[in-house]
CSV table of all heavy atoms in Angstrom, one decimal:
chain,number,residue,atom,x,y,z
A,686,GLU,N,16.5,0.3,4.8
A,686,GLU,CA,16.9,1.1,3.7
A,686,GLU,C,18.3,0.8,3.2
A,686,GLU,O,18.5,0.7,2.0
A,686,GLU,CB,16.7,2.6,4.1
A,686,GLU,CG,16.9,3.5,2.9
A,686,GLU,CD,16.2,4.9,3.1
A,686,GLU,OE1,15.5,5.0,4.1
A,686,GLU,OE2,16.5,5.8,2.3
A,687,GLU,N,19.3,0.7,4.1
A,687,GLU,CA,20.7,0.6,3.7
A,687,GLU,C,20.8,-0.8,2.9
A,687,GLU,O,21.5,-0.9,1.9
A,687,GLU,CB,21.6,0.5,4.9
A,687,GLU,CG,21.9,1.9,5.5
A,687,GLU,CD,20.8,2.3,6.4
A,687,GLU,OE1,20.2,1.4,7.1
A,687,GLU,OE2,20.4,3.5,6.4
A,688,ILE,N,20.2,-1.8,3.5
A,688,ILE,CA,20.3,-3.1,2.9
A,688,ILE,C,19.8,-3.1,1.4
A,688,ILE,O,20.4,-3.6,0.5
A,688,ILE,CB,19.5,-4.2,3.7
A,688,ILE,CG1,20.2,-4.3,5.1
A,688,ILE,CG2,19.5,-5.5,3.0
A,688,ILE,CD1,19.5,-5.4,6.0
A,689,ILE,N,18.6,-2.5,1.3
A,689,ILE,CA,18.0,-2.5,-0.1
A,689,ILE,C,18.9,-1.7,-1.0
A,689,ILE,O,19.1,-2.1,-2.2
A,689,ILE,CB,16.6,-1.9,0.0
A,689,ILE,CG1,15.7,-2.8,0.8
A,689,ILE,CG2,16.0,-1.7,-1.4
A,689,ILE,CD1,14.3,-2.3,1.1
A,690,ALA,N,19.4,-0.6,-0.6
A,690,ALA,CA,20.2,0.2,-1.5
A,690,ALA,C,21.5,-0.5,-1.8
A,690,ALA,O,21.9,-0.5,-3.0
A,690,ALA,CB,20.6,1.6,-0.8
A,691,ALA,N,22.1,-1.2,-0.8
A,691,ALA,CA,23.4,-1.9,-1.1
A,691,ALA,C,23.1,-3.1,-2.0
A,691,ALA,O,23.9,-3.4,-2.9
A,691,ALA,CB,24.0,-2.4,0.2
A,692,ALA,N,22.0,-3.8,-1.7
A,692,ALA,CA,21.6,-4.9,-2.6
A,692,ALA,C,21.4,-4.5,-4.0
A,692,ALA,O,21.8,-5.2,-4.9
A,692,ALA,CB,20.4,-5.6,-2.0
A,693,ARG,N,20.8,-3.3,-4.2
A,693,ARG,CA,20.5,-2.9,-5.5
A,693,ARG,C,21.9,-2.7,-6.3
A,693,ARG,O,22.0,-3.1,-7.4
A,693,ARG,CB,19.7,-1.6,-5.5
A,693,ARG,CG,19.4,-1.1,-6.9
A,693,ARG,CD,18.5,0.1,-6.9
A,693,ARG,NE,18.5,0.8,-8.2
A,693,ARG,CZ,17.4,1.2,-8.7
A,693,ARG,NH1,16.2,1.1,-8.1
A,693,ARG,NH2,17.4,1.8,-9.9
A,694,ASP,N,22.8,-2.0,-5.6
A,694,ASP,CA,24.1,-1.8,-6.2
A,694,ASP,C,24.8,-3.1,-6.6
A,694,ASP,O,25.3,-3.2,-7.7
A,694,ASP,CB,25.0,-0.9,-5.3
A,694,ASP,CG,24.5,0.4,-5.1
A,694,ASP,OD1,23.6,0.9,-5.9
A,694,ASP,OD2,24.9,1.1,-4.1
A,695,GLU,N,24.8,-4.0,-5.6
A,695,GLU,CA,25.4,-5.3,-5.9
A,695,GLU,C,24.7,-6.0,-7.1
A,695,GLU,O,25.4,-6.6,-8.0
A,695,GLU,CB,25.4,-6.2,-4.7
A,695,GLU,CG,26.2,-5.8,-3.5
A,695,GLU,CD,27.6,-6.2,-3.5
A,695,GLU,OE1,28.1,-6.8,-4.5
A,695,GLU,OE2,28.3,-6.1,-2.5
A,696,ALA,N,23.4,-5.9,-7.1
A,696,ALA,CA,22.6,-6.6,-8.1
A,696,ALA,C,23.0,-6.0,-9.5
A,696,ALA,O,23.2,-6.8,-10.5
A,696,ALA,CB,21.1,-6.5,-7.9
A,697,VAL,N,23.1,-4.7,-9.6
A,697,VAL,CA,23.4,-4.1,-10.9
A,697,VAL,C,24.7,-4.6,-11.4
A,697,VAL,O,24.9,-4.9,-12.5
A,697,VAL,CB,23.3,-2.5,-10.7
A,697,VAL,CG1,23.9,-1.9,-12.0
A,697,VAL,CG2,21.9,-2.1,-10.5
A,698,SER,N,25.8,-4.6,-10.4
A,698,SER,CA,27.1,-5.0,-11.0
A,698,SER,C,27.1,-6.5,-11.4
A,698,SER,O,27.7,-6.9,-12.3
A,698,SER,CB,28.2,-4.7,-10.0
A,698,SER,OG,27.9,-5.2,-8.7
A,699,VAL,N,26.3,-7.3,-10.6
A,699,VAL,CA,26.3,-8.8,-11.0
A,699,VAL,C,25.6,-8.9,-12.4
A,699,VAL,O,26.2,-9.6,-13.3
A,699,VAL,CB,25.5,-9.6,-9.9
A,699,VAL,CG1,25.1,-10.9,-10.5
A,699,VAL,CG2,26.3,-9.7,-8.7
A,700,VAL,N,24.5,-8.2,-12.6
A,700,VAL,CA,23.8,-8.4,-13.8
A,700,VAL,C,24.5,-7.8,-15.0
A,700,VAL,O,24.5,-8.3,-16.1
A,700,VAL,CB,22.3,-7.8,-13.7
A,700,VAL,CG1,21.6,-7.8,-15.1
A,700,VAL,CG2,21.5,-8.6,-12.7
A,701,THR,N,25.2,-6.6,-14.8
A,701,THR,CA,26.0,-6.0,-15.9
A,701,THR,C,27.1,-7.0,-16.3
A,701,THR,O,27.3,-7.1,-17.5
A,701,THR,CB,26.6,-4.7,-15.4
A,701,THR,OG1,25.5,-4.0,-14.7
A,701,THR,CG2,27.0,-3.9,-16.6
A,702,ALA,N,27.7,-7.6,-15.3
A,702,ALA,CA,28.8,-8.5,-15.7
A,702,ALA,C,28.4,-9.8,-16.3
A,702,ALA,O,29.0,-10.4,-17.1
A,702,ALA,CB,29.6,-8.8,-14.4
A,703,ASP,N,27.2,-10.3,-15.9
A,703,ASP,CA,26.7,-11.6,-16.4
A,703,ASP,C,25.2,-11.6,-16.5
A,703,ASP,O,24.5,-12.2,-15.6
A,703,ASP,CB,27.2,-12.6,-15.4
A,703,ASP,CG,26.8,-14.1,-15.7
A,703,ASP,OD1,26.2,-14.3,-16.8
A,703,ASP,OD2,27.1,-15.0,-14.9
A,704,PRO,N,24.7,-11.0,-17.6
A,704,PRO,CA,23.2,-10.8,-17.6
A,704,PRO,C,22.4,-12.1,-17.5
A,704,PRO,O,21.3,-12.1,-16.9
A,704,PRO,CB,23.0,-10.2,-19.0
A,704,PRO,CG,24.3,-9.6,-19.4
A,704,PRO,CD,25.4,-10.4,-18.7
A,705,GLU,N,22.9,-13.2,-18.1
A,705,GLU,CA,22.2,-14.4,-18.0
A,705,GLU,C,22.5,-15.2,-16.7
A,705,GLU,O,21.9,-16.3,-16.5
A,705,GLU,CB,22.5,-15.3,-19.2
A,705,GLU,CG,21.9,-14.7,-20.5
A,705,GLU,CD,20.4,-14.5,-20.4
A,705,GLU,OE1,19.7,-15.5,-20.1
A,705,GLU,OE2,19.9,-13.4,-20.7
A,706,LEU,N,23.3,-14.7,-15.9
A,706,LEU,CA,23.7,-15.3,-14.6
A,706,LEU,C,24.3,-16.7,-14.9
A,706,LEU,O,24.1,-17.7,-14.2
A,706,LEU,CB,22.6,-15.4,-13.7
A,706,LEU,CG,21.8,-14.1,-13.4
A,706,LEU,CD1,20.7,-14.4,-12.4
A,706,LEU,CD2,22.8,-13.1,-12.7
A,707,GLU,N,25.0,-16.9,-16.0
A,707,GLU,CA,25.5,-18.2,-16.4
A,707,GLU,C,26.5,-18.7,-15.3
A,707,GLU,O,26.5,-19.9,-15.0
A,707,GLU,CB,26.1,-18.2,-17.8
A,707,GLU,CG,25.0,-18.2,-18.8
A,707,GLU,CD,25.6,-17.7,-20.2
A,707,GLU,OE1,26.8,-17.5,-20.3
A,707,GLU,OE2,24.7,-17.6,-21.1
Side-chain angles (χ1 to χ4, degrees):
E686 187 157 352
E687 285 80 38
I688 294 181
I689 293 171
R693 179 175 169 137
D694 295 344
E695 294 272 11
V697 170
S698 50
V699 165
V700 171
T701 314
D703 180 2
E705 289 304 307
L706 306 179
E707 282 161 5

